[in-house]
Each structure stands twice: as structure tokens, then as C-alpha cells.
Amino acid sequence: MRLPIVINEHSAEPLYHQIEVQLRALIVSGQLEEGTMLPSIRELAGMMKCSVITVKRVYRDLEAEGLLRTRQGTGTFVTHAGEGDRDRQRLSSVVEALELALQAAIRVQCTREELEELFRAAMRQHYDKGGEST
């Protein structure tokens, strides 16, 4: 199975975090349905060109959140996430991304007004394309 996960090698964000955030998003958005078998740790490590330890950490973290279940000798599967769980995870991902953006803005001394305008511009760019999000 090929997962649509894109790694940015120039990002300051750790590799495991990039994979984890994207895999979580695939699960909570419903793009990976309950029961979907994920690549083995070795397979995904090969696809991502990273260590087995990195993928093991991602799977362990998502299993701790209740999004994955590993069956010894069978594989790792997407678990059932209730609608409330999906919404909570989905919104949690957005809050985390907004926190990172806010921290970046503070580091470069963006004013509140500048940040609000940047956010409004990004919203217009993504939501004003025929009324749909991308």
C-alpha cells in the first residue's frame, strides 16, 4: 500500500512528527478506513527512507491514541474511531498546526494584525475557490 505522505527534508520538524501528523490526518479524515492494513514497519521505513525506529515510534504513538491496532504476526490496522473521536483528533491536529504557526510568527516579530491578515489571506486562498476547501 502506498501512503500519500510527503516528507520535507528541509523542515525543522522531526521526521517522525511529519509522518505521524500526516498519517493521523489520513485516518481522522476517513481517507484510511477502519480495518485498512498499513505497511509493515520495515516497508514504511523503506518508503519514507527513514529508520525502522522512526516508524515504530509513529505506530506506537498512534496506537496509544487508539487510531491503530497491531496484531502480532498479522500487521497494523486502522481502528474504529467514533465520530466524536474523529472530530476531536481532527481539530486537535488543526490546533497543533496553529500553535506552530503562532510560535513562528512570534519568532519573527509579526504583529497580531499582520498575523490576522495572513490568516485571512490564507483562508480566502483556500476556501474561496468555488466555496470548497482544498
Side-chain angles (χ1 to χ4, degrees):
M1 158 184 259
R2 183 91 180 122
L3 295 174
I5 295 175
V6 179
I7 301 302
N8 179 354
E9 295 174 6
H10 304 291
S11 173
E13 195 171 81
L15 186 58
Y16 84 88
H17 188 68
Q18 291 183 53
I19 297 169
E20 187 174 307
V21 166
Q22 292 179 60
L23 186 53
R24 181 184 297 111
L26 291 169
I27 294 168
V28 299
S29 70
Q31 292 177 61
L32 289 177
E33 297 177 359
E34 175 187 357
T36 300
M37 183 175 173
L38 297 181
S40 72
I41 290 172
R42 287 189 197 288
E43 287 175 309
L44 187 55
M47 284 186 249
M48 298 291 110
K49 296 182 174 80
C50 67
S51 78
V52 169
I53 294 169
T54 298
V55 175
K56 191 179 282 191
R57 179 176 180 179
V58 169
Y59 280 13
R60 184 190 67 222
D61 289 353
L62 294 177
E63 194 165 5
E65 291 178 27
L67 297 174
L68 298 179
R69 180 177 62 239
T70 300
R71 291 188 211 138
Q72 193 64 32
T74 308
T76 301
F77 299 86
V78 175
T79 60
H80 170 71
E83 204 57 43
D85 292 335
R86 284 193 193 280
D87 283 344
R88 191 170 34 261
Q89 290 288 343
R90 183 175 57 87
L91 294 177
S92 174
S93 296
V94 174
V95 168
E96 184 178 336
L98 288 172
E99 286 289 338
L100 290 171
L102 183 55
Q103 290 170 12
I106 289 168
R107 272 194 307 274
V108 297
Q109 299 178 340
C110 249
T111 66
R112 180 183 182 132
E113 292 76 21
E114 288 172 322
L115 185 58
E116 286 174 353
E117 182 50 40
L118 288 170
F119 187 72
R120 280 191 210 96
M123 293 274 293
R124 283 191 299 273
Q125 180 181 351
H126 289 280
Y127 283 102
D128 292 349
K129 295 178 183 178
E132 295 181 27
S133 66
T134 54

